[in-house]
Amino acid sequence: MIFGIAALVPALFFVVGVIRDRRRLGNAVWLGVTLVFVVLWLVFRASANGGWSAAVVGWAFVVLLLGLGFVLPTALVANGVLMLRREGFGLANLLSLLAGLAIFGLVLAFGFATAHTGPVGDAVIGALLIVAAYVAFLFVSLLLYSIVYGSIGRRTGFDAVVVLGAGLIGDRVPPLLAARLDRALHLYRREVAAGRTPLLVVSGGQGPGEVVSEAAAMRDYLLRRDVPADRVVLEDRATTTEENLRYSARLLAERGWTGRAVAVTNNFHVFRAAVLARRLRLRMQIIGAPTAWYFLPSAFLREFAALLTHNPVVHTATCGVLVGLHLWLTLTP
């Protein structure tokens, strides 16, 4: 009962946070805390009832351990190999492979520690498990809220549609960027059908190995699909997501634009772009475009790492307090 009541507090903070601004990073944490209390409430309620309810909880726990300790890392390693084959060698493409190997390493370390018991070994492996649990909590919270954020909010009534750039292949728009442009085209045509004439802002500079700027390639892509040239605005200096948003907003302001804007990126990138837009104090929401399934694990891991770097002190301090408390309780006679 107490966990059910306790779940209401973070749930209230979550709802208020979403109402105030869907782009708040704290919304993801409150969602995660709410789910933790709900799961604890279900577990304790099932244990109190006994019988088949307790058996279901026990089997669910076994399945969870097998999933986290074997199925999940195996799937991540397999995905990492597939990413290397399809996307080539690179740190971003290695993330799912490295994450899978790290989980396998943690499982082996835990097995070794259980076979060599002792206060120091128990303290170290316990600390590792606390760090892993904390990181897993943050990752699941951000992943779930990214899905929630991408599923709610306004879908019409935009006066400007900003398309965030991605890498080119020479001067060719690859599938990842094409998905963003197609999503932006869908929004643009829906606004035109409703009697509005929104601007399409294509944002992206010229990177290494690119023949033209991303913005120029995106403009040509849109013009070939019958978008009037006077409705496409180029922003060809940005090299990061933050610059995409900031430069595009500045460009619109210089044109006297004061309406409602939306930025389009891929679905895995939506929430981080939204957090950046809020940090930059931009009146801009973010909408996602679909992404190839095999690309998602590494992409979400990359987004998770990038989101953590925005607030590293808080997360490091929290994790440090948890580990320090565990070590003190374990090693104190």
Side-chain angles (χ1 to χ4, degrees):
M1 184 64 178
I2 188 172
F3 289 114
I5 297 175
L8 296 177
V9 176
L12 177 62
F13 279 105
F14 170 70
V15 172
V16 172
V18 170
I19 292 174
R20 290 181 61 188
D21 193 334
R22 295 187 297 118
R23 304 171 299 173
R24 297 168 66 95
L25 187 60
N27 294 342
V29 177
W30 289 122
L31 175 63
V33 173
T34 301
L35 293 177
V36 167
F37 279 120
V38 169
V39 169
L40 289 174
W41 174 68
L42 292 174
V43 168
F44 276 89
R45 184 176 181 181
S47 301
N49 291 337
W52 66 268
S53 298
V56 169
V57 171
W59 280 108
F61 184 70
V62 171
V63 171
L64 179 64
L65 287 179
L66 289 175
L68 293 177
F70 180 73
V71 177
L72 176 61
T74 301
L76 287 172
V77 170
N79 177 258
V81 173
L82 181 62
M83 280 288 292
L84 292 177
R85 288 179 176 176
R86 294 194 178 184
E87 302 294 331
F89 186 85
L91 180 58
N93 298 335
L94 282 170
L95 286 178
S96 58
L97 176 62
L98 294 176
L101 294 176
I103 295 174
F104 274 130
L106 185 63
V107 171
L108 291 174
F110 180 73
F112 177 82
T114 55
H116 300 78
T117 57
V120 176
D122 292 344
V124 171
I125 196 64
L128 289 174
L129 288 174
I130 288 174
V131 173
Y134 181 70
V135 173
F137 163 76
L138 288 177
F139 179 76
V140 172
S141 298
L142 290 170
L143 175 60
L144 291 177
Y145 188 68
S146 294
I147 296 172
V148 172
Y149 178 88
S151 303
I152 60 178
R154 177 183 290 272
R155 289 292 184 272
T156 58
F158 302 119
D159 302 295
V161 180
V162 178
V163 189
L164 306 187
L168 302 176
I169 302 176
D171 61 350
R172 184 167 60 87
V173 172
L176 194 73
L177 183 53
R180 301 183 185 187
L181 290 163
D182 291 339
R183 181 72 164 133
L185 269 172
H186 174 74
L187 294 174
Y188 170 81
R189 288 167 177 165
R190 189 163 58 189
E191 298 301 327
V192 170
R196 287 180 286 271
T197 55
L199 288 175
L200 275 165
V201 181
V202 288
S203 175
Q206 184 173 347
E210 296 177 344
V211 178
V212 298
S213 69
E214 295 165 8
M218 288 191 284
R219 176 195 56 192
D220 294 342
Y221 185 96
L222 294 174
L223 294 181
R224 289 195 298 269
R225 285 154 181 80
D226 301 323
V227 177
D230 63 342
R231 306 315 300 165
V232 181
V233 180
L234 266 72
E235 186 293 296
D236 57 3
R237 296 187 298 124
T239 58
T240 65
T241 300
E242 182 173 339
E243 290 179 352
N244 285 140
L245 295 170
R246 188 169 67 247
Y247 294 167
S248 296
R250 184 183 303 167
L251 191 152
L252 288 170
E254 291 172 353
R255 290 173 167 260
W257 173 89
T258 57
R260 180 176 281 111
V262 63
V264 179
T265 184
N266 289 91
N267 49 13
F268 63 84
H269 188 228
V270 163
F271 186 51
R272 182 163 72 91
V275 171
L276 281 171
R278 180 176 183 271
R279 194 178 73 184
L280 294 170
R281 302 183 184 277
L282 301 178
R283 293 176 54 245
M284 188 181 296
Q285 296 292 341
I286 315 295
I287 287 181
T291 308
W293 66 269
Y294 70 88
F295 198 85
L296 291 175
S298 289
F300 272 120
L301 287 168
R302 184 173 70 241
E303 295 301 301
F304 173 66
L307 278 169
L308 286 190
T309 60
H310 288 188
N311 205 4
V313 174
V314 172
H315 296 302
T316 302
T318 303
C319 199
V321 168
L322 292 173
V323 171
L325 180 62
H326 164 75
L327 292 175
W328 180 75
L329 292 173
T330 304
L331 297 177
T332 300

